[in-house]
Amino acid sequence: EPFDKDKVVFLVREPGRIPFASVGWPGFVGVVSGINRAGVALVVHGGRAGVPRSEGIPVVFSLREAFSQAHDTDEAVKILSSHEVMVSHITIVTDSMGKTAVVERAPGHPAHVRWSTTPLATTNHFEGPLANDPRDREVRAHTSTLARRKRGDALVQGLPAAPGVVTMVSALRDRNGPDGKPLPLGDRRAIDALIATHGVVMDTTARTLWVSEWPHLLGRFVRFDLQRLLADGFDPSTDISASGGPGFAAVAADPLLTDGKYPGAH
């Protein structure tokens, strides 16, 4: 719950490196979701394969390294693929040209990359060589990853040619099963199982980031204009957008938050 209530959007600048925005928590110095000034966006999904190691680079620092150096998806994939990782995971990378890669990594295995220039959904199971790992087979058998992937695929197929932020937020808030029928609130097979600590929508062309407010994905999605916030010379002390001034915008809260049904889900 503290990760959900107390999330932070960091604006990170390091000498000689690409500035980036990262969605995390107070005291967190790595990255799990974010976008840099070059328009490279990365998010990490949990996955299980291989045997965890005490040597290597933590995934949150691996992503931070990619953000600070990569100008496009190709460069980010090259950086991620060069790292020896400590635990298994799945990283989704895209850039301002729409080139997307799903990078599957596990200790002791070379990175497997799936490329795409069309919309895709990704959940928590591997689809490359690591799909044969017994731990990944267990994820498929005993978690909701396949059901969420099937529903995600259906949502992606139904997207308009140029979906806006409201459409993407609605997809993140989807609480239907793979067949499109409503699921009970909190059902783990739903895209929105009312457990997320943060949700993000990123426009890599416009360099815009939208981040969910507490609780879970039900609060507003608040807009961050990264062309302005990551520009050279930006002065945070003069920024008033977060208090309702020029540039402030948000996607409205989910109606579930106020219709009286949400508390009964817990």
Side-chain angles (χ1 to χ4, degrees):
E1 187 171 291
F3 285 177
D4 188 7
K5 281 186 173 181
D6 300 328
K7 67 178 68 71
V8 173
V9 176
F10 295 99
L11 303 177
V12 181
R13 299 173 180 274
E14 299 175 279
R17 297 202 165 196
I18 302 170
F20 64 87
S22 169
V23 183
W25 309 276
F28 189 63
V29 295
V31 179
V32 291
S33 305
I35 180 172
N36 72 11
R37 190 166 68 181
V40 176
L42 296 94
V43 296
V44 62
H45 286 199
R48 275 183 251 161
V51 178
R53 294 179 173 180
S54 57
E55 301 85 18
I57 180 171
V59 57
V60 297
F61 296 155
S62 180
L63 264 64
R64 178 171 177 145
E65 188 75 9
F67 271 121
S68 64
Q69 297 189 51
H71 295 84
D72 54 31
T73 296
D74 289 330
E75 291 186 2
V77 169
K78 184 176 180 180
I79 293 167
L80 295 174
S81 299
S82 72
H83 293 161
E84 293 290 336
V85 298
M86 302 174 69
V87 297
S88 56
H89 55 273
I90 303 164
T91 302
I92 301 93
V93 189
T94 193
D95 61 21
S96 60
M97 301 303 293
K99 188 172 185 178
T100 301
V102 179
V103 185
E104 301 180 348
R105 301 193 293 176
H109 295 268
H112 175 75
V113 183
R114 294 186 284 118
W115 298 93
S116 179
T117 54
T118 58
L120 56 82
T122 303
T123 50
N124 300 97
H125 59 276
F126 293 102
E127 299 183 38
L130 293 170
N132 294 319
D133 187 285
R135 290 176 176 82
D136 186 70
R137 291 199 296 268
E138 187 174 327
V139 168
R140 293 169 185 258
H142 299 294
T143 76
S144 62
T145 185
L146 294 179
R148 287 181 287 112
R149 172 59 184 276
K150 186 175 181 181
R151 180 58 182 162
D153 288 342
L155 291 172
V156 166
Q157 291 171 8
L159 290 175
V165 62
V166 174
T167 298
M168 299 312 301
V169 168
S170 296
L172 290 178
R173 289 173 172 167
D174 186 85
R175 293 184 284 273
N176 296 330
D179 58 2
K181 296 179 180 179
L183 293 168
L185 290 180
D187 193 302
R188 292 299 183 95
R189 293 171 294 172
I191 299 296
D192 181 10
L194 302 178
I195 57 173
T197 56
H198 72 251
V200 298
V201 174
M202 293 178 278
D203 185 332
T204 59
T205 302
R207 311 293 199 272
T208 305
L209 172 69
W210 304 78
V211 182
S212 65
E213 290 184 326
W214 153 269
H216 310 301
L217 306 182
L218 299 181
R220 300 179 307 170
F221 273 67
V222 178
R223 176 181 181 269
F224 295 83
D225 177 5
L226 300 182
Q227 291 202 49
R228 181 175 61 87
L229 298 175
L230 295 179
D232 292 336
F234 172 72
D235 182 359
S237 66
T238 64
D239 183 48
I240 58 173
S241 64
S243 58
F248 179 81
V251 175
D254 192 310
L256 179 64
L257 193 60
T258 56
D259 65 8
K261 297 178 181 178
Y262 171 66
H266 294 272

